[in-house]
Amino acid sequence: MVLRDNTCWLLVLGAVLACGAGCNSNDSPAIGYVLGEPRFLAKIHRVVFIELESEQSYPSVAKDMTLALAQAIQARRLFHIDVIYRDDPICEMLSLDGRSGFSMDQLRAMRKSLGCDAVLIGSMRDFRPHPYTQMGLYVRLLDVKNGRLVWGVDHVWNTTDVGTEKRIRKFFDKQMRSGYEPMDWQLAMISPKVFGKFVAYEAAGTLPEGPVYQGYPAAQSPRGWADFRKIP
């Protein structure tokens, strides 16, 4: 079934939020997300990520966020992911807005044109660079074979939140390399690009860590995991 509008999406999100948040470890933040069964993910081998749409006039930030999210998702080792930007000629042939959902004909057209099992599409919203940094993310992973919503995130991150600040510090301690001195983790509080890496890390963290291919060792997965880690 294809979600026909944002209202349906929010109803589904509200219904499974408690379950979704419970699927992660106790250290995971309460992020609004939906996640299908592992068997749904196991059927997906190639995903095309359509560049995030900026609902405000920050296209460069949305492009940086697209790359950060693609890399964070790729690190989960679930499937191969390719990024296609909205100025690509192929995007002009497809209706990619999706605010009112996609018909099965549209999804079949995506599958044929993009040669993928699923598309990841969404937008960066509620973005503020000052006086504090805020970023919202609304993304959906749709199986183009049947229109199933496999995974999605709908959440807003805000640096004024004490819990967010604590998680940024933890993110820097565990994930970021050195070279951000003297500001260190505080750089994420003022830099949209660095803050976006944190947002991408948390969003991707709502996905399981692969591989989830049922009956397929990683070495036998399509194209091999070495290729899977390459983001064009």
Side-chain angles (χ1 to χ4, degrees):
M1 183 183 77
V2 180
L3 295 182
R4 300 307 304 171
D5 53 37
N6 287 349
T7 301
C8 292
W9 157 256
L10 291 173
L11 288 174
V12 172
L13 175 62
V16 300
L17 177 57
C19 176
C23 293
N24 283 351
S25 67
N26 293 333
D27 294 332
S28 299
I31 293 175
Y33 75 98
V34 290
L35 180 63
E37 297 178 23
R39 61 191 178 94
F40 298 152
L41 279 171
K43 295 178 181 179
I44 294 175
H45 303 293
R46 181 174 184 262
V47 172
V48 168
F49 183 7
I50 307 298
E51 178 187 3
L52 291 171
E53 181 182 10
S54 176
E55 295 189 0
Q56 297 134 303
S57 300
Y58 295 99
S60 62
V61 178
K63 183 166 289 189
D64 287 341
M65 187 61 212
T66 299
L67 284 175
L69 184 58
Q71 291 169 345
I73 293 173
Q74 193 78 88
R76 307 304 289 181
R77 300 184 305 119
L78 295 169
F79 38 68
H80 177 66
I81 183 169
D82 289 316
V83 176
I84 293 184
Y85 295 97
R86 289 181 179 265
D87 58 1
D88 191 299
I90 198 170
C91 290
E92 297 179 4
M93 300 168 54
L94 302 170
S95 176
L96 298 175
D97 185 3
R99 284 187 173 86
S100 57
F102 296 103
S103 67
M104 288 308 300
D105 286 340
Q106 287 175 305
L107 292 174
R108 277 192 289 267
M110 291 182 193
R111 183 182 179 190
K112 182 178 180 180
S113 300
L114 302 175
C116 60
D117 303 302
V119 293
L120 182 62
I121 191 165
S123 61
M124 182 191 75
R125 56 192 181 87
D126 299 325
F127 177 69
R128 293 185 183 182
H130 56 77
Y132 54 86
T133 306
Q134 175 176 289
M135 184 181 293
L137 196 61
Y138 170 60
V139 292
R140 293 168 292 166
L141 181 63
L142 297 173
D143 188 323
V144 293
K145 296 179 182 178
N146 50 41
R148 180 184 290 117
L149 175 65
V150 180
W151 171 69
V153 171
D154 189 358
H155 193 74
V156 177
W157 287 258
N158 188 310
T159 56
T160 63
D161 178 69
V162 175
T164 299
E165 181 180 317
K166 290 180 179 179
R167 299 198 311 272
I168 288 175
R169 294 189 187 202
K170 186 175 180 179
F171 166 70
F172 260 74
D173 288 342
K174 291 188 173 183
Q175 301 296 324
M176 298 297 280
R177 299 174 181 175
S178 60
Y180 293 93
E181 298 82 1
M183 295 194 68
D184 199 36
W185 67 270
Q186 296 182 63
L187 185 61
M189 307 293 278
I190 60 173
S191 168
K193 190 169 186 176
V194 177
F195 184 68
K197 290 182 179 181
F198 162 71
V199 169
Y201 171 77
E202 289 209 328
T206 63
L207 283 164
E209 195 159 8
V212 295
Y213 289 98
Q214 296 176 340
Y216 292 94
Q220 297 179 13
S221 298
R223 295 180 60 182
W225 288 116
D227 289 337
F228 274 35
R229 296 192 183 97
K230 297 177 182 177
I231 304 293

